[in-house]
Amino acid sequence: MSNALGFLLAILPVLGVLFFIRKLLKTLRAPAINYAFGRKDIEVISLFISNKKYEQAETMLFNFNSDDLTQAIDHIALTLSEKQLKNYCENCNRNALSSLVLGSWYLHNAWKIRGHKVASELSTKQFEAYVENLRLSAPLLQAAISESWLSSEALSRLIRVNMGLGYSDEIEALYEASIKSDPKHLWTYIHYSEAIQPKWGGSLQQVQNLLDKLPDDYLIHTTVRLKLLYDSFMSQENYFKLGDNPDDEEKFVVDVASAVDAELNANPPESIQKFVLFGYMYLLSQFIDKSVQKKYKKLIGNNYSLYPFGIS
């Protein structure tokens, strides 16, 4: 009895260390940000899939609007593992929705591998893994286009696949097909506005054409303009036909961001995608006033959207 007690006392520190390591590893594997953005129903969907309750998950997703569906797909793909989503896909006979979710997982994984580096900065192993994940993503997303309620969602993500692979000739057709399917799919405009910039093989004229043709939808119109304003300021590309005077450029940023701030105060958006808008306002309000920037930091909370912050 005394020997058993002595053994137990001896291994307790070891067990404590093992428990700590296990807990630490679990924490490190977990996403740094909960991409459900406070929505319990989105969290429930990922739990349904992890517990193989696929029909319940799909029923909930089917009843989401466009903005909610985008966020839910991202949350699932950034929360669950490749194995869990492959099981989902196989158990549902690779239907359109499960293909979309798994394809989104591979797309996100490709950009996790690449990070913020240009392709030439990647090691051979990193570059091959990046390309392989994009190529795994493409046919899965393509398969989801067959369902009308998923078409725009899948097409918008294919824009980013083709951007990553350097297939700039395909992007215009994907964009046109996506907005034809759903003219108010915010992330189609966001992905497209990134893909047509010169750094990805696009042109100044393409960007200005988009700015001239944005739909009369406040969330889409304002979010895309703020994104391109921020990108223009950071890259020194003249997307807004400004003069050469840096003071004029900064004044333009201040004027636009101040006007948006006033509008958001009067009519705060309800969509879950408001956090994209808040993110760009947070970055641009550094040119207005620290109190304004502090306000948008508080509005964001821990809800850091993929644009402008990337995967965290």
Side-chain angles (χ1 to χ4, degrees):
M1 182 71 175
S2 60
N3 288 339
L5 181 59
F7 175 74
L8 180 60
L9 290 172
I11 67 168
L12 277 175
V14 177
L15 291 173
V17 171
L18 290 175
F19 175 79
F20 174 78
I21 292 173
R22 184 181 177 187
K23 187 175 180 180
L24 177 62
L25 290 174
K26 186 177 181 181
T27 302
L28 291 174
R29 284 196 297 268
I33 292 175
N34 180 336
Y35 287 96
F37 289 0
R39 287 278 296 273
K40 297 300 180 184
D41 53 346
I42 292 177
E43 291 182 359
V44 165
I45 292 170
S46 63
L47 288 174
F48 276 150
I49 294 175
S50 66
N51 289 302
K52 302 184 179 180
K53 295 181 179 180
Y54 304 129
E55 186 176 348
Q56 292 94 321
E58 293 194 343
T59 298
M60 291 183 70
L61 287 166
F62 181 77
N63 288 294
F64 275 173
N65 65 33
S66 175
D67 286 353
D68 290 347
L69 180 63
T70 297
Q71 198 63 41
I73 298 297
D74 282 335
H75 174 73
I76 295 164
L78 289 165
T79 302
L80 302 184
S81 68
E82 178 188 14
K83 181 179 179 180
Q84 288 172 310
L85 297 181
K86 285 178 80 172
N87 284 339
Y88 167 35
C89 204
E90 294 301 327
N91 277 278
C92 291
N93 298 315
R94 292 185 169 267
N95 67 4
L97 183 53
S98 63
S99 295
L100 172 60
V101 174
L102 182 58
S104 298
W105 189 93
Y106 286 119
L107 177 57
H108 284 314
N109 201 49
W111 291 97
K112 284 180 184 178
I113 292 166
R114 177 160 176 166
H116 296 288
K117 296 178 181 178
V118 298
S120 60
E121 294 174 338
L122 300 175
S123 68
T124 300
K125 185 177 180 180
Q126 286 174 321
F127 183 76
E128 289 175 350
Y130 164 70
V131 171
E132 177 64 14
N133 274 269
L134 290 176
R135 288 180 173 165
L136 287 169
S137 176
L140 290 162
L141 297 176
Q142 190 72 38
I145 296 171
S146 60
E147 290 284 348
S148 59
W149 69 286
L150 297 175
S151 178
S152 189
E153 188 66 41
L155 286 162
S156 76
R157 294 173 190 270
L158 277 167
I159 290 172
R160 191 155 175 81
V161 171
N162 282 268
M163 182 186 83
L165 290 171
Y167 300 156
S168 56
D169 292 343
E170 307 293 327
I171 287 169
E172 196 69 32
L174 291 168
Y175 168 69
E176 293 295 338
S178 186
I179 61 171
K180 182 178 181 181
S181 175
D182 181 359
K184 293 191 175 182
H185 189 263
L186 171 64
W187 281 80
T188 296
Y189 297 95
I190 292 176
H191 288 318
Y192 179 68
S193 68
E194 178 78 5
I196 60 174
Q197 293 185 51
K199 63 181 177 180
W200 292 108
S203 68
L204 184 67
Q205 189 59 54
Q206 283 179 287
V207 174
Q208 290 177 344
N209 288 343
L210 173 63
L211 285 166
D212 291 339
K213 296 177 182 179
L214 286 171
D216 186 21
D217 178 285
Y218 187 79
L219 185 64
I220 294 172
H221 187 272
T222 307
T223 301
V224 175
R225 280 180 59 83
L226 289 184
K227 171 183 163 39
L228 288 171
L229 182 58
Y230 179 73
D231 292 349
S232 175
F233 193 86
M234 296 302 293
S235 66
Q236 300 303 307
E237 295 283 359
N238 192 2
Y239 295 151
F240 291 84
K241 303 177 183 178
L242 302 176
D244 297 329
N245 188 333
D247 291 338
D248 291 342
E249 183 178 4
E250 186 167 325
K251 182 179 183 302
F252 182 76
V253 172
V254 170
D255 289 346
V256 171
S258 297
V260 173
D261 179 50
E263 177 62 29
L264 293 179
N265 286 337
N267 299 294
E270 295 181 0
S271 168
I272 194 170
Q273 301 303 339
K274 64 188 176 184
F275 294 108
V276 185
L277 190 52
F278 292 164
Y280 281 108
M281 281 300 294
Y282 169 70
L283 295 174
L284 290 168
S285 59
Q286 63 184 296
F287 301 107
I288 305 173
D289 183 88
K290 285 186 178 180
S291 65
V292 178
Q293 189 172 40
K294 186 177 179 180
K295 178 180 77 174
Y296 283 99
K297 185 176 182 179
K298 184 177 180 180
L299 284 171
I300 292 168
N302 195 40
N303 303 315
Y304 289 90
S305 55
L306 296 175
Y307 279 100
F309 300 107
I311 299 172
S312 300

